[in-house]
Amino acid sequence: MPKRTDIKKVLVIGSGPIIIGQACEFDYSGTQACKALREEGYRIVLVNSNPATIMTDPEIADATYIEPLNTETLEMIIAKERPDALLPTIGGQTALNLAVELYENGILDKYGTELIGASVDAIKKAEDRELFKQAMQNIGLEVPKSIAVTSVKQGLDIVEDIGFPAILRPAFTLGGTGGGIAYDLDQFKRILEHGLELSLTKQVLVEESVLGWKEYEMEVIRDKNDNVVIICSVENFDPMGIHTGDSITVAPVQTMTDKEYHRMRDASIRIIREIGVDTGGSNIQFAVDPHNGKIVVIEMNPRVSRSSALASKATGFPIAKIAAKLAAGLSLDEIPNDITRETPASFEPVIDYVVLKFPKFAFEKFPGSDPTLMTQMKSVGEVMAIGRTFKEALNKAIRSLEMSSYGFERRTGTIEEITDKLTVPNSERIWYIGEALRIGMSIAEISSKTGIDPWFVYNIKQIVDIEDEISAFKANEGGRMPDIPSELIWRAKENGVSDRRIAALLNTDELEVRTLRKSKGITPVFKMVDTCAAEFKAYTPYFYSTYEKPFYKQGASIPAAECEAAPSDRKKIVILGSGPNRIGQGIEFDYCCVHAVMACKEMGFESIMINCNPETVSTDYDTADKLYFEPLTEEDVLNIIEREKPEGVILQFGGQTPLKLAKVLEKAGVKIFGTTPDAIDMAEDRKRFKELLHKLDLRQPESATAINIEEATAAAETIGYPVLVRPSYVLGGRAMEIVYDEQSLVGYMQRAIDVSPDHPILIDKYLEDATEVDVDCISDGKDTIIAGIMEHIEEAGIHSGDSACSLPPYSLSSSIIEEIKQKTKALSKELGVHGLMNVQYAIRNGDVFVLEANPRASRTIPFVGKVTGIPYVKLATKAILGKSLNELNLTEEIEFSHIAVKEAVFPFNKFPGVDLLLGPEMKSTGEVMGIGQDFGVAYAKAQIASFNRIPLSGRFFISVKDKDKPQAAEIAKKLIDLGIEIIATKGTANCEL
């Protein structure tokens, strides 16, 4: 059937700030959906509160509102824009819940706005635990024994019938939020109270345990003609009891029999039909008893999900794009496949490789948090790897995580400690499986203790056995490369073992291994992701590496392996992405990478993206001219560069990840576009940066650098406590602390040397009661323009990523602002910045101190771009590639009349019991923006958008420092003038509203 012509304007709701359980996969799906609907001629109105995303760029929608995501705001926008339809299925749980609220409050009917993509009945039937259970029973499918409850009393009455352990699943939440596993009544009551509080419908499903069963997912899509396509099957490496977002997952399924697979496939088709999702995609989760093959249905998401993004990248089938077009009335057979250009979207993807997702955790950011993995998601990001086998994909995923692991490194511990790590799910369990195998534990025993299928454990054993074979050839004390057999290197590389891991096993360095490997002709080839296992020609250049032994082609005189990545004759630029999302390096850097790709295309270069994050827009198949889904390591990046031979590489838009490769790439003869690696090192190395500031006569808090404990304690004694200590080459304030005594400093140095072992630690005087300022600037190597000056609302000492900030500044004098501008330009000139730079200052008693400079894209530059309306990243890319700021028509700072406030969003609800205090190490996962004509309105909107409830009545308590009492007295007078009663005590004021 043709697309609908009775709708002209579509409202799209985004997912808001990045939180654990709802991250940039919805920026990816939302961006894709907006582009797809605009392709079909619809006008798009977008609402989202997140400034760091591509989705809120002005090019994505026809009208973009960066506003709080609540029904009040949405009603005002609907009243103004009068959209014909609302698409709620691509903005995660946030958009889905808001759509239901708008419907139930009569707002959609009031303005004549129709829900498309999924009806309210379908949403409720999938999300309401009791309705879903009934629907499954209606079609003859089994679910775990369960009862939906709406009160604690009701839950306590039925839990004895369900039995312990009991699984609790709140309705209408995401990432398992509010759920958990209860092993006794006290746990049950605590989890149930929390789940009822967080559920949109105040409903929690109490379910019998299927812990230890195998878990599977199916990505399914259906159109109005009842065509159903299975996009991808996904198997969880970990058994039931661990949230799928925290589990390693593999596509396609590896350990299921053909009969089981088809039973699950048939069940998926029946489920999507019964629920009534008739124009879009869904994720359906199953549990399978490993002893008898019994299948039960766990849950369904009637929208695109985290797994949808993974499945899209795994297969090359753009689920969100297709789902959006189905919502507009098209059918699967009417939508062409962009990759093959011959098959329609009704042609099911088939893959001839293995895709593996590995989650990334941030427990180190939350000391005291429980690292046990359960039904509530705790990971902050993920990587994806593609290989010809499970083993190859697993090893590639491990080195993509950026956690200093390049394989199955040894883990220490007694047999009891290792057993405990196997039995209790945790983020390091896979390495302890390797260690258990090394100490002689059998595959059956490990599988029994972990609930992980023996097939996976056997594959890990094969990797460990290869590593042990290699270590037998360990180099002598001089480090001379041993004569290792070519056959063993081939086997290692075919199984994904990295050069870095081989070097560690041989007691030599990575370059030696790389040189030996290449001398033996052992090099990777690149294969194409084509959605159809090469049955049809593919046109989308989307590649992964693998090791394939040469073979003789007919008519060839020498053997050759087949490489499907044929370099073009065009001038090429490689852009390195930011890798997995994490606290300190998130979606804002993907935003920067996408803008860099756009700029390269506009300047006539072929853009080549290298990244390993499945959630992002940068790894969409049609963002760059060529996409390599590969780890961002020395080995993998150099392999691609040797194949493509680009003009050079851009490093400064992917956060800290690409900067770590700057010296390696330069040493390999690769041209680095933009600020030189030496200038980057000068800014990142604390000792060199201190010398630079001294040369420019710029003030820094009294400081010293140290490389060991003795130097650190001596420096702190001279400077005086408290001191702020920070390593070199870290992002997100990693391992930064305020230290108040020598004992704490000694403990800190022991930890920090592990984080940044080859660079000095900076120890500087902690400036109490100072105001912190962030500055972003752009330079062409000659001229520098200030993009934005942001004043922090929290005092200096709180990481900039955790502090709210205002653009423009709300309290700085014009003389201070001018001084900041001049100091920033002096730093930019001395460092020879080409592109972007961020500088952080502290203002105390009218004095301006430089805290640090980052000659790269910053966390704040998307925010600055959204506030000013200037695409600074795109312009910076063009400046990097040779354009002057004058040629780019950027000759003066942009003036604007509004105020914008950025506010951070924190994941403390996922880590109960941890220290909630903020400090120099970043803890927030995302951010929102509030805009208004004055500071108060902008700040209030930012608080609402970040889920901080602003009370409209009640009593508040203010505690005032002595130095602030004169100003507090003035405020109190104004409050009295407004009719607010003030009851003052010594040092405090109590205000009755």
Side-chain angles (χ1 to χ4, degrees):
M1 81 180 44
K3 70 181 181 184
R4 292 180 60 173
T5 57
D6 58 327
I7 56 176
K8 307 292 183 187
K9 186 186 288 189
V10 180
L11 174 65
V12 174
I13 304 175
S15 59
I18 303 301
I19 57 176
I20 290 177
Q22 188 166 271
C24 56
E25 64 270 11
F26 295 106
D27 176 47
Y28 157 72
S29 60
T31 300
Q32 219 182 47
C34 289
K35 287 161 61 178
L37 290 175
R38 290 183 84 187
E39 276 179 17
E40 297 299 330
Y42 297 103
R43 179 173 172 81
I44 303 301
V45 178
L46 170 68
V47 188
N48 204 350
S49 57
N50 192 335
T53 72
I54 286 294
M55 192 178 183
T56 50
D57 254 16
E59 297 96 339
I60 301 302
D62 297 287
T64 301
Y65 291 85
I66 304 183
E67 294 288 335
L69 292 173
N70 56 40
T71 52
E72 293 81 9
T73 303
L74 286 168
E75 182 176 8
M76 288 189 287
I77 294 168
I78 291 170
K80 179 178 183 295
E81 291 285 349
R82 297 298 176 108
D84 303 300
L86 164 60
L87 180 65
T89 53
I90 49 79
Q93 200 67 41
T94 298
L96 211 61
N97 290 357
L98 283 168
V100 172
E101 288 183 39
L102 289 168
Y103 176 86
E104 293 186 337
N105 292 341
I107 294 169
L108 298 183
D109 282 343
K110 179 180 177 181
Y111 297 100
T113 302
E114 177 189 350
L115 266 184
I116 60 174
S119 67
V120 168
D121 287 343
I123 294 170
K124 286 187 173 182
K125 197 184 281 190
E127 294 285 341
D128 184 293
R129 300 298 184 177
E130 189 61 36
L131 292 177
F132 183 71
K133 173 185 171 182
Q134 292 170 7
M136 295 304 97
Q137 291 172 343
N138 290 343
I139 56 175
L141 295 177
E142 289 192 65
V143 294
K145 182 180 179 181
S146 63
I147 300 174
V149 302
T150 55
S151 69
V152 174
K153 182 181 183 305
Q154 189 182 3
L156 293 173
D157 288 343
I158 62 92
V159 71
E160 287 187 12
D161 184 48
I162 295 293
F164 290 106
I167 311 298
L168 290 89
R169 302 179 186 276
F172 287 90
T173 65
L174 188 137
T177 300
I181 305 170
Y183 290 89
D184 55 46
L185 273 175
D186 288 340
Q187 274 188 328
F188 180 81
K189 185 178 179 182
R190 186 176 69 252
I191 297 171
L192 180 56
E193 286 175 343
H194 187 51
L196 288 169
E197 180 183 346
L198 294 179
S199 170
L200 176 71
T201 55
K202 307 304 176 188
Q203 182 200 70
V204 173
L205 188 75
V206 181
E207 183 179 273
E208 73 171 330
S209 168
V210 286
L211 297 180
W213 288 30
K214 294 163 73 170
E215 187 165 7
Y216 297 93
E217 300 174 66
M218 299 290 268
E219 286 297 323
V220 193
I221 203 163
R222 178 177 182 238
D223 67 16
K224 281 194 171 181
N225 292 341
D226 200 24
N227 297 307
V228 181
V229 175
I230 305 296
I231 305 302
C232 190
S233 61
V234 180
E235 178 169 359
N236 285 21
F237 175 88
D238 296 293
M240 286 292 298
I242 299 174
H243 191 278
T244 57
D246 286 351
S247 176
I248 297 168
T249 59
V250 189
V253 295
Q254 301 291 301
T255 69
M256 181 176 275
T257 66
D258 184 62
K259 181 179 179 181
E260 287 174 330
Y261 170 77
H262 280 283
R263 285 173 60 202
M264 193 174 295
R265 174 191 171 87
D266 292 344
S268 299
I269 294 170
R270 289 157 64 193
I271 290 168
I272 198 168
R273 285 173 173 161
E274 171 65 20
I275 296 299
V277 176
D278 55 5
T279 56
S282 294
N283 169 263
I284 305 172
Q285 295 170 24
F286 298 89
V288 177
D289 188 330
H291 301 105
N292 57 27
K294 177 183 176 181
I295 297 177
V296 296
V297 185
I298 301 300
E299 66 179 5
M300 174 194 192
N301 294 307
R303 52 169 171 78
V304 297
S305 64
R306 182 185 316 102
S307 298
S308 302
L310 178 72
S312 294
K313 302 299 172 67
T315 62
F317 186 101
I319 294 173
K321 178 178 181 177
I322 303 301
K325 294 199 174 194
L326 295 179
L330 292 167
S331 57
L332 285 163
D333 57 305
E334 294 174 321
I335 303 170
N337 183 313
D338 291 345
I339 291 182
T340 65
R341 299 181 190 171
E342 291 184 33
T343 59
S346 54
F347 190 89
E348 286 194 352
V350 179
I351 58 179
D352 53 1
Y353 44 81
V354 176
V355 175
L356 186 139
K357 179 213 78 180
F358 204 125
K360 185 173 179 67
F361 297 89
F363 293 116
E364 74 281 357
K365 294 279 186 178
F366 305 99
S369 60
D370 181 6
T372 305
L373 304 182
M374 292 188 290
T375 60
Q376 183 167 250
M377 184 173 164
K378 296 178 180 179
S379 62
V380 295
E382 60 190 41
V383 297
M384 185 182 102
I386 311 176
R388 300 298 275 186
T389 63
F390 168 78
K391 295 184 285 292
E392 183 177 36
L394 175 60
N395 264 317
K396 289 174 76 173
I398 286 172
R399 66 179 182 265
S400 297
L401 288 168
E402 297 181 47
M403 51 178 287
S404 300
S405 177
Y406 287 82
F408 281 84
E409 291 87 359
R410 298 297 301 259
R411 292 293 188 269
T412 58
T414 64
I415 292 177
E416 290 76 17
E417 289 169 335
I418 293 170
T419 300
D420 185 58
K421 289 290 187 180
L422 296 179
T423 307
V424 180
N426 62 88
S427 60
E428 290 197 305
R429 183 155 68 168
I430 196 165
W431 286 275
Y432 280 96
I433 290 173
E435 191 61 30
L437 289 164
R438 283 194 170 104
I439 64 172
M441 203 175 286
S442 71
I443 291 172
E445 189 178 0
I446 293 170
S447 180
S448 174
K449 291 181 185 302
T450 61
I452 295 168
D453 191 279
W455 186 88
F456 290 121
V457 181
Y458 176 70
N459 273 263
I460 293 171
K461 184 179 188 304
Q462 288 179 305
I463 296 172
V464 169
D465 287 347
I466 289 171
E467 288 192 354
D468 289 346
E469 269 191 78
I470 293 169
S471 63
F473 290 86
K474 188 168 288 188
N476 58 30
E477 291 183 5
R480 188 166 55 83
M481 191 69 188
D483 186 19
I484 182 169
S486 296
E487 185 276 334
L488 179 55
I489 299 178
W490 264 118
R491 267 195 297 127
K493 300 310 292 183
E494 286 175 328
N495 285 281
V497 183
S498 67
D499 287 354
R500 177 79 64 95
R501 181 65 180 141
I502 294 172
L505 294 167
L506 293 177
N507 194 31
T508 185
D509 63 57
E510 184 174 354
L511 181 60
E512 287 284 333
V513 173
R514 184 179 185 85
T515 302
L516 174 69
R517 173 173 60 75
K518 290 174 67 177
S519 72
K520 294 176 177 286
I522 304 172
T523 57
V525 292
F526 296 93
K527 301 294 184 179
M528 184 178 287
V529 174
D530 58 13
T531 80
C532 59
E535 186 176 348
F536 296 91
K537 182 180 179 181
Y539 294 87
T540 301
Y542 170 14
F543 302 100
Y544 67 96
S545 70
T546 189
Y547 280 80
E548 186 177 88
K549 287 183 179 177
F551 59 91
Y552 281 96
K553 287 186 177 181
Q554 188 173 5
S557 57
I558 56 173
E562 185 177 21
C563 184
E564 296 172 0
S568 72
D569 295 330
R570 296 175 59 194
K571 291 186 175 182
K572 311 174 190 70
I573 303 293
V574 167
I575 297 135
L576 297 188
S578 56
N581 264 28
R582 71 210 80 169
I583 291 176
Q585 185 166 295
I587 193 173
E588 61 278 358
F589 293 107
D590 195 69
Y591 165 95
C592 294
C593 290
V594 173
H595 272 247
V597 166
M598 294 175 180
C600 288
K601 287 183 175 182
E602 288 174 11
M603 290 190 68
F605 291 98
E606 181 179 306
S607 58
I608 299 174
M609 171 60 63
I610 306 175
N611 205 357
C612 56
N613 189 336
E615 303 178 306
T616 63
V617 178
S618 71
T619 54
D620 207 353
Y621 69 95
D622 62 354
T623 295
D625 292 310
K626 247 182 182 177
L627 168 65
Y628 284 89
F629 217 110
E630 289 291 289
L632 289 155
T633 67
E634 174 183 342
E635 172 185 349
D636 299 285
V637 170
L638 282 175
N639 285 342
I640 295 165
I641 288 172
E642 288 173 359
R643 178 66 183 173
E644 289 288 348
K645 298 180 173 53
E647 301 296 305
V649 176
I650 296 177
L651 301 176
Q652 64 175 261
F653 298 125
Q656 206 66 39
T657 297
L659 293 189
K660 294 176 182 177
L661 297 175
K663 288 186 175 180
V664 169
L665 294 177
E666 186 180 48
K667 186 177 179 181
V670 179
K671 181 176 180 178
I672 308 297
F673 280 106
T675 307
T676 65
D678 184 65
I680 293 168
D681 184 70
M682 195 181 299
E684 294 282 352
D685 186 287
R686 301 301 184 182
K687 184 175 182 180
R688 293 188 69 191
F689 187 61
K690 178 180 170 67
E691 293 167 353
L692 170 67
L693 295 182
H694 181 74
K695 176 183 176 182
L696 295 176
D697 199 26
L698 298 179
R699 295 188 69 179
Q700 188 180 35
E702 186 180 356
S703 64
T705 56
I707 58 172
N708 55 47
I709 292 172
E710 292 73 21
E711 289 183 6
T713 53
E717 189 66 33
T718 302
I719 293 169
Y721 293 96
V723 292
L724 182 62
V725 283
R726 37 183 139 187
S728 305
Y729 281 97
V730 296
L731 189 134
R734 178 71 185 101
M736 292 185 187
E737 286 184 22
I738 300 169
V739 175
Y740 290 87
D741 54 54
E742 183 173 316
Q743 182 180 354
S744 300
L745 179 61
V746 170
Y748 169 83
M749 288 297 294
Q750 290 170 338
R751 298 190 303 274
I753 289 170
D754 291 334
V755 174
S756 186
D758 302 320
H759 300 281
I761 306 295
L762 178 69
I763 303 167
D764 58 11
K765 181 67 178 175
Y766 172 52
L767 298 177
E768 296 182 281
D769 302 323
T771 299
E772 190 163 345
V773 176
D774 254 287
V775 182
D776 282 316
C777 69
I778 180 172
S779 179
D780 58 11
K782 179 182 177 184
D783 298 318
T784 298
I785 294 291
I786 304 298
I789 298 176
M790 291 146 281
E791 181 178 357
H792 291 204
I793 293 169
E794 283 77 14
E795 68 179 7
I798 305 297
H799 190 277
S800 60
D802 287 351
S803 176
C805 70
S806 172
L807 176 61
Y810 60 93
S811 73
L812 300 183
S813 68
S814 56
S815 61
I816 290 289
I817 290 173
E818 188 56 37
E819 184 179 350
I820 287 171
K821 288 180 180 180
Q822 295 309 314
K823 291 180 186 297
T824 302
K825 290 178 179 179
L827 268 171
S828 174
K829 184 176 181 180
E830 186 65 26
L831 285 168
V833 171
H834 278 74
L836 294 169
M837 180 175 74
N838 172 268
V839 188
Q840 293 169 25
Y841 297 92
I843 318 298
R844 187 182 183 194
N845 299 327
D847 294 324
V848 179
F849 298 89
V850 179
L851 297 180
E852 64 180 10
N854 297 300
R856 55 168 170 78
S858 70
R859 184 177 301 102
T860 50
I861 197 65
F863 170 70
V864 174
K866 300 293 167 66
V867 175
T868 61
I870 303 298
Y872 282 109
V873 177
K874 194 180 286 187
L875 295 176
T877 305
K878 293 180 178 181
I880 285 169
L881 296 176
K883 293 281 188 181
S884 68
L885 296 186
N886 188 56
E887 289 176 300
L888 297 170
N889 296 316
L890 193 62
T891 55
E892 58 185 24
E893 278 120 37
I894 304 301
E895 294 185 2
F896 48 92
S897 59
H898 51 272
I899 305 287
V901 171
K902 177 179 75 70
E903 180 58 283
V905 177
F906 297 91
F908 294 126
N909 64 327
K910 296 285 187 178
F911 304 105
V914 302
D915 185 357
L916 305 185
L917 295 177
L918 302 181
E921 180 157 1
M922 185 172 164
K923 295 179 179 179
S924 62
T925 56
E927 62 191 46
V928 294
M929 181 167 82
I931 311 175
Q933 289 303 309
D934 60 63
F935 176 80
V937 171
Y939 184 76
K941 287 169 79 172
Q943 296 309 306
I944 294 168
S946 62
F947 316 123
N948 293 323
R949 186 177 63 87
I950 299 177
L952 300 177
S953 63
R955 177 176 293 183
F956 64 90
F957 175 83
I958 305 173
S959 179
V960 184
K961 293 181 180 179
D962 287 342
K963 71 180 185 65
D964 294 324
K965 285 177 182 175
Q967 186 180 2
E970 292 299 317
I971 294 172
K973 288 176 185 177
K974 292 179 181 178
L975 292 174
I976 291 170
D977 290 341
L978 293 171
I980 298 173
E981 182 184 358
I982 304 294
I983 306 168
T985 62
K986 184 178 180 181
T988 64
N990 291 296
C991 304
E992 182 77 42
L993 289 180

